[in-house]
Amino acid sequence: MTKYIKCFGMFMSLSVSFTGLALQAQTLNIKTFSGKITDEKGAAIDGVEVTVIGSRVRAGSDKNGSFAIKGMSEDSLSFNKAGYKELRVAGKDRADISVVLAKSNGADYFNELVDIPFAKRTRRELNYAVSALKTDDFPKIPVSNLSSMLAGRFSGLLVQQTGNQPGTENIAFQVRGKSSYAQGSAPKLLVDGVERDFSDMDINEVESVTVLKDAAALNWYGLLGGNGVILVNTRHGKARQDFINFDIQGGFQKVENLVTPLNSYKFATLYNQGLTNAGQAPAYNQEALDAYQNQSNPYLFPDNNYIDRFLNKTAPVQRYAVSLGGGSDKIRYFTNVSYYDQNGLFKNTQTNDYNSNFNYKRYNFRVNLDYDVTKTLSFSLLAGVRSERRTDPIGGGGGGTAAVLSSLFTLPPNAFPILNQDGTYGGTSVYQTNPLGQLQNSGVYKAITNVLLASISAKQRLDFVTPGLSANIFFSYDGYGNYTHGFTQNYSVVNQTLTPSQTFRTPAVLAYQFAGFGTSTKNNEVWAGFDYDRTIGNHKINASARAQQATSAAVDRIDYNERLFVGRVDYGFKNRYFLGFTGSYSGSENYAPGRRFGFFPAGTIGWVVSDEDFLKPNNALSYLKLRASYGRSGNIGPTYDSNGNLVRLPYRALFTRGAGPILGSSFSSTTTAYEVSPTGNPLTTWEKIDRLNIGADISFLNNSLYLTADYFNETRTDILSSANLPGILGVAVSAVNSGKVNSKGFDMSLLYQKNLSGVNLSLNGNFTYAANKLLEQSLPSGTLSYQSPLGYNIGNVNGAGNKRYYLSDGLFQSQEEINASPKQSLSGLVVPGDIRYKDVNGDNIIDSRDAVSTNYTDVPKAYYGFGFNISYKLFDISAQFQGVYGRTIDIRSLVYSGPNNLNGLSLDSWTPATASTARFPRIALTDNGNNNASSDFWLRSGDFIKLRTVELGLTLPQRLTYKLHMQKARFFIGGYNLLSFSKLKDLNMDPETPFAGRGNNYPYLKTYTLGVNVKF
């Protein structure tokens, strides 16, 4: 059968064979299923949601318990109501259907299976602190980074966007805040149990996401799980549930929060103001100012708006995906193929030879197979292939997109005419980079990145040894490689305002850029061991033991190796009382021989209190479980040198050869060895984390409202710090284990589900509060008490590493105020309009000893999310919000962005006329150290609430889709990052990515999309 679908002005032919599928054309017999629903005592139940499985067709039972719903003769039905166990029945050859629903006695939500490392457990059985979600209800919004879809959905997980460029939208994660000041404190990202980044996967590939938060869950991974783990599991086929699914989406991304450029007249006026503020003569006379204002001579007095000329306000984005799955009891399959395309924002990029606009394309392919070879032997193959194509303007000097953006955002508007009268590129000896030349005559860079992710596993049941025993082996192989090519070119610029005119830069004709393969990386990992899963009467035992070996190899570095032995035992009695233990023996080659391995144990306990006779479930409290865990985790603390480079094997002392005399010998040239600084420290060890978690799982209102809440308290010791040894030693030590941080707080999640007169309502919310305090750290000798970081939180502002700030006291309004104040020594020039600082130590001088330690940090104290899914008949709408609280940003460099640190915000700078209303200090082009110092004057709240995702859908009636031989067809519109609420709106900047659209940073983007989903 062939269908034609018109999408975005183009026709696509979809040729689909339905042979072997459960849904076949010859069996499309529509019928009405009807019947009555009662409880175990025969009483009618109203408000039961009746769903045709595999579709969005729903109905509800009336006050008599009666229902009627249209389906096909081959369909099955699902019956759901809060407080009752879900029931599925086959509709084939059934007339009136009598359904009896049993009370759930503990909420089906807590009986759902949750993915944990190499196993699944029901929420009821788990004593761990985890946050888990299926991705079925996630919106299908075409974003290049899948990680962004997690924002605001998980308690304990902070998702922060740090960049906006297509294909490189950086996402940072934190689990339960930050508890180490050392670098490398991000959680591990695992796909199907293997450390992999999932940001470039297609959303159709992902079935569930689980965030592991406490010691009992994390210690499975030994030294690699100290900062939390995000566990992603891909989709598998299900027996006798065959389907083919098509997704077609298109839309655009819209620019927001760009730096406000100045025209040439305002720029020149403010530039003169900056000079006269410092007692210097203005650079532009009145004739020049008039020419800029009147634009009477655009070649001698140019007035450029580079942003309008070279930057589009929108850019297109599109995604196409086909997935199919199903199978039999013996073999199941899932396959997904997708294509994603996102354009950049640049204008004037098309030449006869190439288009230099940034572009990101991605092709994803996945196939997951599960095969039961025999009744006791099963086999799985999980394979994903990805190919990414990036096009980037070389931009001059190889700076790429960032170099072009730097020109658009920082070139003075009057620097030169873009094109001279004779068509040559304009430029000067100072400004030799022309944006048009960057885009049309600098060349283009193309990169292809290919990724293979493959896993093979086998499970052999050993019931002949003892029932419930099985042997398991898991092997993964990942390969990463890239290929680069493109064109190079160069151009000259001409300054025709001089006589004779002057030419700068050396032009070069179009040539092929060096093409070649980059360094390929190969990772492999093996897990092997045994599982024991058995229920004997009231006793249930789940036990696992594994050994792991992992290697990461590349030709330009030493291989990375990991080794791990881990065991886990979970015991349940009467499905009411639960005990658990996880212990791993984990090592790292980062530490000296004899000091590489450690043991990391954790224990858990849980009690379903609502099953006790004294607290039987009722309409108010349906379910209550109390649980706790405690254990010691480890974390590999990375070591960096003074230049920020990662130090490999930091326990070693390295030497380099050099030429020079040996002490006590003649001055003839000899070969000597010098110890490389920093020298190794053989005593370094891992961070140790003692973790306590106390939690509760509760169901209220007849199993309509679910609450999960956890209190955590963690103390991390042996954090790597600078050694701060006396300089007389002549060499620095890489790092010492001297830091200690305590982190504590709580996280919680809420879920409310209800059917209200045919309206299916699902509300979700989560909240996390995480506070930390630095208890110990190696400090330089002579550190003043009020400048010590001890007792304050960790983290800094804008990633600058600064925790000390001068305390501001407004702006100086007159020279008399300056004369009567302590001497300001932070710059050579202090005049009215400059920031006044408090004399903290009382010596009547403002210097470095007046900066004080503070709790300012861009790590939020609290973060939260909330959202809803609502459906009624053919319509559905969903939205998800994310918010953070207690975050601080420094706007100093944002206010001073633009050409010569001037932009639209400079109009709010101090002048004698605006002294009472000015928001910022006077304009200063030089000697501005006083106003540029790190002070609380520049600090602002970085709190925000964002509408991360929204989607509105319309599902075609089933009577129509059946005629078209479809299971369902849904049309939808959606968006990403559409709304933002913060205290920075007056500054025209995004609080999450404040540098976006300034300097050389890609602008902030909102995404609007429309799409169609068809399922056969």
Side-chain angles (χ1 to χ4, degrees):
M1 181 181 72
T2 302
K3 291 286 179 185
Y4 293 93
I5 297 177
K6 186 176 182 181
C7 180
F8 307 112
M10 300 177 62
F11 283 93
M12 292 195 312
S13 173
L14 306 180
S15 180
V16 183
S17 173
F18 296 104
T19 303
L21 295 181
L23 181 62
Q24 299 182 24
Q26 61 266 30
T27 62
L28 293 175
N29 299 317
I30 300 177
K31 62 177 294 183
T32 298
F33 301 111
S34 61
K36 188 172 182 179
I37 308 171
T38 63
D39 62 17
E40 295 166 301
K41 297 181 180 180
I45 308 176
D46 65 343
V48 177
E49 180 185 282
V50 186
T51 306
V52 177
I53 294 176
S55 76
R56 287 180 173 264
V57 177
R58 297 186 176 96
S61 61
D62 60 21
K63 63 181 180 180
N64 298 316
S66 299
F67 73 93
I69 189 171
K70 289 186 179 297
M72 294 183 299
S73 59
E74 295 292 325
D75 276 331
S76 295
L77 307 180
S78 170
F79 299 85
N80 279 282
K81 181 177 172 66
Y84 295 86
K85 295 180 180 179
E86 180 191 6
L87 180 66
R88 295 191 176 195
V89 301
K92 183 178 181 181
D93 300 327
R94 303 277 299 268
D96 289 338
I97 301 175
S98 296
V99 176
V100 178
L101 294 185
K103 289 279 189 178
S104 62
N105 191 31
D108 288 338
Y109 174 79
F110 294 114
N111 290 320
E112 291 179 356
L113 287 172
V114 174
D115 291 296
I116 62 173
F118 292 97
K120 293 179 183 288
R121 297 283 189 274
T122 65
R123 297 179 189 270
R124 181 185 182 94
E125 296 172 313
L126 272 182
N127 296 330
Y128 302 166
V130 301
S131 298
L133 285 177
K134 304 291 185 182
T135 60
D136 293 336
D137 292 329
F138 281 25
K140 298 296 191 295
I141 296 174
V143 292
S144 66
N145 194 318
L146 180 58
S147 306
S148 59
M149 290 291 99
L150 307 185
R153 296 182 181 272
F154 296 85
S155 65
L157 178 66
L158 174 64
V159 180
Q160 182 178 359
Q161 186 169 336
T162 60
N164 299 280
Q165 186 168 331
T168 57
E169 293 171 326
N170 298 323
I171 302 292
F173 297 102
Q174 286 180 11
V175 174
R176 290 183 163 177
K178 194 170 184 178
S179 56
S180 176
Y181 53 77
Q183 297 187 57
S185 59
K188 292 297 180 183
L189 309 180
L190 305 176
V191 177
D192 292 326
V194 179
E195 187 172 354
R196 298 161 169 161
D197 187 3
F198 62 90
S199 61
D200 292 319
M201 295 175 64
D202 185 76
I203 191 169
N204 281 357
E205 299 180 60
V206 178
E207 183 174 78
S208 67
V209 180
T210 304
V211 182
L212 310 180
K213 299 182 287 189
D214 69 340
L218 296 172
N219 281 13
W220 177 272
Y221 295 105
L223 287 170
L224 298 180
N227 297 316
V229 167
I230 301 174
L231 185 62
V232 174
N233 283 282
T234 57
R235 292 188 183 274
H236 292 249
K238 298 179 181 179
R240 298 182 304 280
Q241 295 188 30
D242 302 314
F243 70 90
I244 298 179
N245 191 78
F246 293 88
D247 284 307
I248 301 174
Q249 296 164 269
F252 63 92
Q253 296 185 311
K254 183 176 181 295
V255 172
E256 293 284 338
N257 301 324
L258 284 172
V259 62
T260 305
L262 298 167
N263 60 33
S264 291
Y265 172 75
K266 291 181 179 179
F267 172 80
T269 301
L270 292 174
Y271 194 92
N272 281 349
Q273 183 179 319
L275 292 173
T276 56
N277 283 341
Q280 301 177 41
Y284 301 98
N285 56 30
Q286 190 60 47
E287 179 184 0
L289 294 176
D290 292 340
Y292 286 134
Q293 189 170 28
N294 300 327
Q295 300 184 1
S296 55
N297 189 339
Y299 293 104
L300 188 60
F301 299 96
D303 184 13
N304 297 310
N305 188 326
Y306 306 104
I307 293 177
D308 279 354
R309 180 161 181 176
F310 296 105
L311 210 61
N312 284 306
K313 296 297 188 293
T314 62
V317 60
Q318 54 187 327
R319 170 183 173 265
Y320 305 89
V322 180
S323 58
L324 60 155
S328 63
D329 291 332
K330 192 175 184 65
I331 185 169
R332 283 85 58 199
Y333 65 92
F334 172 80
T335 298
N336 183 74
V337 181
S338 67
Y339 168 72
Y340 177 87
D341 185 7
Q342 185 175 358
N343 264 351
L345 295 165
F346 295 132
K347 296 180 185 177
N348 302 305
T349 58
Q350 184 67 55
T351 71
N352 293 330
D353 301 299
Y354 55 81
N355 187 339
S356 64
N357 191 18
F358 187 94
N359 178 262
Y360 174 71
K361 290 182 173 67
R362 186 179 68 223
Y363 306 85
N364 291 73
F365 172 75
R366 171 164 292 278
V367 57
N368 287 355
L369 297 174
D370 298 291
Y371 179 40
D372 294 337
V373 183
T374 68
K375 291 183 178 180
T376 62
L377 175 63
S378 59
F379 170 86
S380 293
L381 168 66
L382 314 178
V385 177
R386 182 172 74 246
S387 183
E388 302 173 32
R389 314 295 174 96
R390 289 178 172 84
T391 300
D392 204 14
I394 290 179
T401 294
V404 179
L405 291 175
S406 179
S407 297
L408 304 188
F409 296 151
T410 63
L411 273 176
N414 62 346
F416 46 72
I418 299 298
L419 291 174
N420 294 313
Q421 285 180 296
D422 60 359
T424 58
Y425 291 123
T428 68
S429 60
V430 177
Y431 301 109
Q432 298 184 17
T433 300
N434 186 299
L436 187 59
Q438 286 180 294
L439 292 172
Q440 294 190 352
N441 284 89
S442 291
V444 65
Y445 171 88
K446 297 177 180 289
I448 301 174
T449 301
N450 294 321
V451 179
L452 168 66
L453 308 174
S455 304
I456 301 175
S457 63
K459 177 179 180 179
Q460 174 64 60
R461 292 173 54 185
L462 302 175
D463 292 331
F464 63 89
V465 177
T466 184
L469 182 66
S470 62
N472 301 269
I473 188 167
F474 175 93
F475 174 77
S476 70
Y477 177 87
D478 298 350
Y480 304 82
N482 62 77
Y483 175 79
T484 59
H485 62 107
F487 299 100
T488 61
Q489 200 174 1
N490 206 350
Y491 60 95
S492 61
V493 296
V494 182
N495 185 351
Q496 294 186 347
T497 64
L498 302 176
T499 303
S501 61
Q502 293 185 357
T503 301
F504 306 95
R505 300 174 63 105
T506 302
V509 298
L510 186 71
Y512 285 107
Q513 186 186 33
F514 172 78
F517 292 94
T519 300
S520 61
T521 302
K522 300 177 178 63
N523 301 335
N524 64 76
E525 194 166 331
V526 179
W527 291 78
F530 297 90
D531 289 336
Y532 181 72
D533 301 287
R534 190 175 182 184
T535 301
I536 306 173
N538 291 323
H539 307 274
K540 184 176 183 180
I541 300 173
N542 301 103
S544 299
R546 294 283 198 282
Q548 178 243 22
Q549 171 70 46
T551 300
S552 176
V555 296
D556 60 345
R557 60 168 168 80
I558 303 173
D559 292 354
Y560 287 86
N561 295 283
E562 302 166 7
R563 189 167 296 167
L564 172 70
F565 305 91
V566 61
R568 176 178 62 207
V569 179
D570 293 313
Y571 168 74
F573 178 64
K574 292 186 176 181
N575 204 26
R576 184 187 309 174
Y577 311 102
F578 302 95
L579 293 173
F581 175 81
T582 305
S584 58
Y585 186 64
S586 178
S588 171
E589 59 187 355
N590 240 31
Y591 308 114
R595 304 176 60 89
R596 289 179 170 170
F597 282 86
F599 180 61
F600 305 100
T604 70
I605 186 171
W607 176 27
V608 181
V609 185
S610 55
D611 278 5
E612 301 294 346
D613 291 338
F614 63 82
L615 189 62
K616 284 297 184 182
N618 53 71
N619 289 338
L621 179 64
S622 307
Y623 177 84
L624 171 63
K625 179 182 179 181
L626 303 178
R627 51 185 169 76
S629 69
Y630 181 80
R632 166 162 285 195
S633 304
N635 180 61
I636 299 174
T639 305
Y640 296 83
D641 62 20
S642 58
N643 296 319
N645 301 313
L646 181 68
V647 177
R648 187 78 169 94
L649 307 179
Y651 64 87
R652 302 182 306 168
L654 301 180
F655 295 84
T656 184
R657 294 195 311 166
I662 298 176
L663 187 63
S665 69
S666 65
F667 284 91
S668 60
S669 178
T670 58
T671 299
T672 60
Y674 298 98
E675 189 169 8
V676 176
S677 183
T679 188
N681 178 7
L683 301 180
T684 56
T685 186
W686 48 81
E687 297 174 347
K688 300 173 180 64
I689 314 162
D690 294 313
R691 285 187 159 115
L692 169 68
N693 190 93
I694 300 174
D697 303 321
I698 312 172
S699 175
F700 300 99
L701 304 178
N702 201 20
N703 291 322
S704 295
L705 177 63
Y706 307 103
L707 167 67
T708 295
D710 289 271
Y711 164 81
F712 59 90
N713 194 322
E714 304 175 1
T715 299
R716 188 177 299 229
T717 57
D718 285 338
I719 303 173
L720 287 173
S721 308
S722 299
N724 292 316
L725 298 176
I728 195 173
L729 295 179
V731 66
V733 174
S734 58
V736 295
N737 297 101
S738 65
K740 182 177 181 180
V741 172
N742 176 259
S743 177
K744 58 186 175 183
F746 65 92
D747 57 48
M748 60 184 296
S749 62
L750 286 167
L751 176 64
Y752 179 77
Q753 295 178 323
K754 192 74 172 178
N755 183 289
L756 303 173
S757 301
V759 178
N760 293 290
L761 176 64
S762 177
L763 307 177
N764 72 81
N766 63 81
F767 183 87
T768 301
Y769 173 81
N772 63 69
K773 181 182 293 187
L774 178 60
L775 303 178
E776 297 177 9
Q777 187 181 15
S778 175
L779 300 175
S781 60
T783 299
L784 299 172
S785 59
Y786 58 87
Q787 293 186 332
S788 169
L790 300 182
Y792 293 93
N793 61 23
I794 56 175
N796 47 66
V797 177
N798 292 356
N802 185 51
K803 289 290 286 183
R804 297 178 185 173
Y805 291 90
Y806 294 97
L807 304 180
S808 61
D809 189 20
L811 301 176
F812 287 118
Q813 300 298 328
S814 65
Q815 187 62 43
E816 289 74 20
E817 287 187 9
I818 297 174
N819 297 337
S821 299
K823 176 179 173 56
Q824 310 269 132
S825 66
L826 303 182
S827 65
L829 179 68
V830 178
V831 296
D834 285 351
I835 302 173
R836 174 168 49 195
Y837 298 113
K838 295 180 180 179
D839 183 12
V840 173
N841 65 350
D843 63 357
N844 211 36
I845 298 176
I846 303 299
D847 56 20
S848 61
R849 289 171 292 185
D850 292 299
V852 301
S853 288
T854 66
N855 272 325
Y856 296 124
T857 172
D858 59 8
V859 178
K861 296 177 182 177
Y863 42 94
Y864 52 92
F866 56 93
F868 59 83
N869 290 72
I870 302 173
S871 63
Y872 177 70
K873 294 184 178 180
L874 304 179
F875 299 93
D876 63 270
I877 184 172
S878 66
Q880 193 68 32
F881 293 82
Q882 182 198 17
V884 304
Y885 168 77
R887 180 171 175 266
T888 301
I889 64 172
D890 188 333
I891 67 169
R892 178 177 27 167
S893 60
L894 307 177
V895 171
Y896 288 141
S897 63
N900 296 96
N901 296 328
L902 300 174
N903 60 67
L905 295 176
S906 303
L907 299 172
D908 290 332
S909 297
W910 186 95
T911 66
T914 63
S916 60
T917 60
R919 292 194 292 170
F920 308 117
R922 66 176 176 92
I923 295 174
L925 303 180
T926 60
D927 200 3
N928 200 31
N930 186 83
N931 296 333
N932 263 326
S934 296
S935 75
D936 61 359
F937 182 92
W938 298 108
L939 300 183
R940 298 291 188 276
S941 169
D943 303 347
F944 64 80
I945 299 176
K946 286 190 176 185
L947 175 59
R948 283 299 191 187
T949 61
V950 63
E951 190 173 274
L952 174 64
L954 168 65
T955 301
L956 295 184
Q958 197 166 30
R959 63 180 180 274
L960 176 59
T961 56
Y962 280 167
K963 291 180 181 179
L964 299 174
H965 308 304
M966 301 175 182
Q967 288 193 42
K968 72 169 184 178
R970 178 173 177 263
F971 298 87
F972 56 92
I973 59 175
Y976 175 72
N977 276 351
L978 298 190
L979 294 175
S980 181
F981 306 93
S982 75
K983 298 179 180 179
L984 299 178
K985 283 297 183 182
D986 59 330
L987 297 176
N988 192 34
M989 61 184 63
D990 175 57
E992 185 179 26
T993 55
F995 298 102
R998 290 160 174 80
N1000 61 1
N1001 298 288
Y1002 208 82
Y1004 183 76
L1005 299 172
K1006 295 180 177 181
T1007 301
Y1008 300 82
T1009 182
L1010 59 88
V1012 59
N1013 170 258
V1014 179
K1015 186 174 183 180
F1016 297 94

